[in-house]
Amino acid sequence: MPPNRPNRSLADDVAWCYDAVHGVSRTFSLTIEELDEPMAREICVGYLLCRVADTVEDATHVPPAAQARLLELYSRALDPDDDTGVDAFREAVDEWVPDEPDADWTVVANAARIVGVFRDLEPASRETIRPAVRELTEGMAMFVERYADAGGLRIRTLDELEEYCWYAAGTVGELVTGLVSRGATRATRAPLEENATAFAMVLQLVNVAKDAARDFEDENNVYLPTELLDAHGVTPGALADPGQSAAVASVIGRVVEHAEGYLDGAKTWLDAMPETRGNTIAAWAIPYLLAVGTLRELKARPADVVTEGNVKITHAEVAAVCAQFADDASPSLGDLRARIERRPLHEYES
């Protein structure tokens, strides 16, 4: 048994990682359920490594200077040429782990466990995952430092939102593309690499739009560009004020429009994806189509982001989308996207 797992086997840690990802991400939970090995393990571990950094960045109880130091330390711990080990990060973050950690902080507290599984992956997989996670982590540290005096992020422009989304999600798109395209021909890799970030950017911008009020209330982060809020007479501090819901809805509409600009690229990425090494189209098509449905709802009722806390599609529509890929079915993504853009998919069946 490895020395860094005195009471556990590798199989125990792998099982823990699968349980953990289901507790922290609805989207990646759906994805991983559709994957086979070795892709399932690689995506699970890659995502959890990113989630450690994301949780530290979102922590309102950790001062910005401490957040930045922790993120920089975490990035160094993942650098094979640095003497810093993951135990150093774990010791440094320990004082900030809540006494009763939620699912996200449980992942942070078990960073060493995740890194242990990561180190057991194939060398090529590690070399695909590591740079993306480190770029994400260092980008988050940069944004924390940029807004250290504001008490939380205050994205100013659409261009800056694009920059933030690159670090938070575009890097993940590069990670996934590197894993799914390994061994593919140049002709297959080209459209994948050209559209590597589109899928992740759609999902990230959807989250920015639907969770705008919750992100402010829970994390004191304002991802809706303040230049757009200002243009509609909304101060960042009033983002979650129901009285401002109509004005905020206009800004939500701009972000939704920006997200829709990535839908074609994301579909091109999906259409080019090989089903090798345990990868499946369903794993990525399902969250893509759910994002299309969420964008439809955001366009129909943007004020609900403020008045209801966020905007979601129904469990019935989620089930209907997942059912399209049952028994290895290969439905037309173009047709499904067009139908979902018009109305919830399950309503076609009623």
Side-chain angles (χ1 to χ4, degrees):
M1 191 174 294
N4 64 332
R5 302 187 191 99
N7 300 307
R8 304 187 312 269
S9 67
L10 174 64
D12 291 333
D13 286 349
V14 171
W16 180 88
C17 286
Y18 281 127
D19 287 342
V21 81
H22 293 315
V24 296
S25 174
R26 179 188 182 194
T27 298
F28 273 84
S29 179
L30 290 170
T31 291
I32 290 166
E33 287 179 353
E34 296 291 335
L35 296 171
D36 296 318
E37 300 294 355
M39 190 65 63
R41 184 180 304 190
E42 293 172 357
I43 295 297
C44 177
V45 172
Y47 176 77
L48 289 176
L49 289 172
C50 294
R51 193 72 181 204
V52 171
D54 186 58
T55 300
V56 172
E57 184 222 10
D58 288 341
T60 57
H61 68 289
V62 183
Q67 285 177 301
R69 285 195 301 271
L70 288 169
L71 290 166
E72 289 160 2
L73 183 62
Y74 181 58
S75 179
R76 288 170 53 199
L78 296 174
D79 183 354
D81 298 323
D82 195 297
D83 292 335
T84 303
V86 69
D87 288 340
F89 167 76
R90 181 62 186 85
E91 291 172 8
V93 81
D94 187 63
E95 66 176 297
W96 304 109
V97 177
D99 292 336
E100 296 182 4
D102 60 11
D104 286 312
W105 277 98
T106 297
V107 167
V108 174
N110 284 274
R113 201 170 192 176
I114 301 163
V115 171
V117 178
F118 166 73
R119 288 174 176 163
D120 188 69
L121 299 178
E122 296 176 6
S125 299
R126 296 198 304 269
E127 292 310 309
T128 297
I129 293 169
R130 180 186 290 112
V133 177
R134 294 192 66 213
E135 186 169 7
L136 176 149
T137 301
E138 292 168 10
M140 289 184 171
M142 178 183 69
F143 269 87
V144 166
E145 290 179 317
R146 183 180 296 179
Y147 290 102
D149 295 334
L153 302 190
R154 296 291 184 271
I155 301 300
R156 291 168 292 196
T157 65
L158 272 173
D159 285 343
E160 190 178 29
L161 176 60
E162 185 88 359
E163 179 191 14
Y164 176 81
C165 287
W166 158 254
Y167 287 113
T171 52
V172 180
E174 295 278 359
L175 182 160
V176 172
T177 298
L179 292 175
V180 303
S181 64
R182 188 189 310 160
T185 65
R186 180 175 298 180
T188 297
R189 290 200 312 272
L192 284 167
E193 292 170 353
E194 289 168 6
N195 296 280
T197 63
F199 170 84
M201 294 292 277
V202 168
L203 267 59
Q204 184 67 23
L205 288 165
V206 166
N207 287 339
V208 165
K210 76 182 184 66
D211 295 328
R214 180 176 294 176
D215 286 337
F216 173 66
E217 292 182 318
D218 294 350
E219 303 164 6
N220 196 26
N221 289 332
V222 178
Y223 298 106
L224 296 182
T226 55
E227 68 173 1
L228 299 182
L229 293 171
D230 289 345
H232 290 85
V234 181
T235 63
L239 176 59
D241 179 359
Q244 298 287 342
S245 60
V248 173
S250 297
V251 180
I252 296 292
R254 286 290 303 277
V255 175
V256 166
E257 181 181 358
H258 196 64
E260 288 181 318
Y262 283 105
L263 286 173
D264 288 343
K267 182 178 178 297
T268 299
W269 183 77
L270 287 164
D271 288 340
M273 181 177 290
E275 293 190 290
T276 57
R277 301 182 60 252
N279 187 46
T280 68
I281 300 300
W284 310 103
I286 289 171
Y288 170 76
L289 294 169
L290 297 180
V292 171
T294 305
L295 288 170
R296 180 200 66 232
E297 294 303 305
L298 283 164
K299 291 169 72 173
R301 46 192 181 96
D304 282 6
V305 169
V306 177
T307 59
E308 301 298 325
N310 68 1
V311 168
K312 295 181 179 180
I313 62 175
T314 65
H315 292 298
E317 185 166 16
V318 173
V321 169
C322 292
Q324 296 295 312
F325 298 89
D327 301 321
D328 297 322
S330 300
S332 165
L333 292 182
D335 176 63
L336 283 173
R337 172 183 164 183
R339 294 169 69 195
I340 291 170
E341 284 176 332
R342 290 193 294 272
R343 59 191 173 104
L345 187 61
H346 63 285
E347 292 185 0
Y348 288 91
E349 303 168 358
S350 60

